[in-house]
Amino acid sequence: MALINTNLEKLDFAKLYIQQMEHSTFKSKSSSDWDKRAKNMSINLQNSIYTKEFVEKIDFNDAKSLLDIGCGTGTIALNVASKLEVVYALDYSPLMLECVENTCKNNDILNVKTIHKSWYENWDDVPNADIVVASRSMEVKDIKEAILKLNSKANKRVYLTTKVGGSFIDKEILNQLKREIYPRPDYIYLLNVLHSMGIYAKVDFIKSENNKFNSFSANEFVERVSWSLGELSLGEIETLKNYFETIYKFQEKPNYIDWAFISWEKHNMG
């Protein structure tokens, strides 16, 4: 007798992911949005605990090349350049790529090549690499399509991180706002999509310092929350300013974000 499918087969996590992304309060950003933040993001990222842990978990054995998808200012790409013959840094923000190029120039890094491309463009001209990484850049509309692209460009291995939980804003901040917040898909969606595709990935967890809302003023704090949450009402702005002035700016305890670190060997899609 044939093995009967479990009820897990009835769940289409790829479809559930798309639905959750569409309903999420946290909307995707355009390349111009990231252009505006590129200069500030290039500061103090290279020495983070997140970067150190991410790089330590990559197996560079027999690898000569790496493709960094959604490279941003080059946090991962620049840290692994000395271990490889060539690193491709791909992003859809021209100013992010400019930051990468300037850092390479200032530090005599000659083996990093930038590629101006988004998740949603044709990747036929994007080179394959032994290792493909996507560090904190998996905020895509269709997770299955993104996985297929990552896997297709990898000769050996794929490494990515995605958020544990669907919010990029501290619960304490969200609690100040009297509105319903619809999160983005948790990492478990992605993991189950991989499973449904026959890819049995490894999962680990790493932390990053949560400096996203560190601000010198109440206005800057409000701007940072609005970046993630969207337009705020006048009442919400006043509430957040008061929260910043009376509580948030006095906090001394470090705050961290948890990330799922997911990896797999190149999978031949049958």
Side-chain angles (χ1 to χ4, degrees):
M1 295 179 65
L3 187 66
I4 303 300
N5 288 339
T6 67
N7 56 8
L8 182 62
E9 306 298 327
K10 298 178 182 179
L11 295 175
D12 186 341
F13 280 95
K15 184 177 180 180
L16 291 172
Y17 175 96
I18 291 172
Q19 292 173 345
Q20 188 64 31
M21 280 295 288
E22 289 175 347
H23 288 102
S24 175
T25 303
F26 306 100
K27 302 304 180 185
S28 299
K29 302 299 181 184
S30 67
S31 60
S32 60
D33 289 329
W34 287 111
D35 281 346
K36 296 173 185 175
R37 299 179 73 87
K39 186 175 294 185
N40 291 333
M41 287 185 66
S42 66
I43 300 172
N44 294 329
L45 280 178
Q46 306 304 322
N47 297 317
S48 72
I49 58 170
Y50 171 90
T51 303
K52 183 174 182 293
E53 285 196 53
F54 191 107
V55 173
E56 285 178 350
K57 291 181 184 298
I58 298 176
D59 178 6
F60 292 98
N61 187 44
D62 296 328
K64 296 181 179 180
S65 57
L66 180 144
L67 172 62
D68 185 357
I69 307 298
C71 66
T73 56
T75 307
I76 302 301
L78 297 171
N79 274 275
V80 302
S82 62
K83 303 176 185 292
L84 299 154
E85 291 183 4
V86 61
V87 173
Y88 303 102
L90 181 152
D91 203 280
Y92 72 148
S93 164
L95 290 190
M96 290 288 185
L97 295 177
E98 187 177 303
C99 285
V100 175
E101 292 166 354
N102 288 338
T103 303
C104 288
K105 183 178 180 180
N106 294 334
N107 293 276
D108 295 321
I109 300 172
L110 304 177
N111 63 330
V112 175
K113 301 179 180 181
T114 58
I115 301 172
H116 184 213
K117 207 72 128 167
S118 78
W119 276 107
Y120 308 113
E121 293 179 80
N122 185 292
W123 281 14
D124 286 349
D125 58 343
V126 174
N128 274 52
D130 293 329
I131 297 170
V132 173
V133 302
S135 169
R136 300 185 288 197
S137 59
M138 296 299 296
E139 305 301 316
V140 296
K141 298 175 183 177
D142 186 329
I143 198 64
K144 186 173 183 178
E145 181 180 302
I147 290 169
L148 288 170
K149 280 191 167 184
L150 293 174
N151 189 74
S152 71
K153 290 301 173 182
N155 296 330
K156 298 180 184 293
R157 294 175 282 276
V158 179
Y159 300 90
L160 63 84
T161 49
T162 189
K163 187 76 172 55
V164 176
S167 172
F168 288 89
I169 302 182
D170 303 350
K171 288 184 179 179
E172 291 79 5
I173 297 175
L174 290 177
N175 287 340
Q176 308 306 309
L177 307 174
K178 308 302 181 184
R179 64 155 92 172
E180 292 183 326
I181 304 297
Y182 295 92
R184 284 186 171 178
D186 182 74
Y187 80 95
I188 204 67
Y189 287 77
L190 191 156
L191 196 60
N192 278 293
V193 173
L194 284 167
H195 180 273
S196 72
M197 297 168 69
I199 300 175
Y200 304 129
K202 297 178 182 178
V203 186
D204 203 346
F205 298 91
I206 59 179
K207 294 181 181 293
S208 68
E209 303 93 335
N210 186 8
N211 301 318
K212 189 170 186 177
F213 300 102
N214 289 2
S215 309
F216 292 106
S217 68
N219 285 334
E220 182 184 359
F221 178 72
V222 168
E223 188 277 329
R224 288 175 177 266
V225 174
S226 179
W227 160 265
S228 293
L229 202 55
E231 187 175 353
L232 302 169
S233 69
L234 291 177
E236 288 174 331
I237 290 172
E238 290 306 311
T239 297
L240 289 172
K241 284 183 177 179
N242 180 65
Y243 173 69
F244 176 82
E245 295 291 356
T246 58
I247 298 176
Y248 193 84
K249 72 178 183 180
F250 299 109
Q251 293 181 350
E252 297 180 355
K253 184 179 178 181
N255 192 11
Y256 297 95
I257 296 176
D258 292 314
W259 298 89
F261 183 92
I262 299 173
S263 62
W264 69 90
E265 299 291 320
K266 166 78 173 189
H267 184 75
N268 294 320
M269 310 301 292

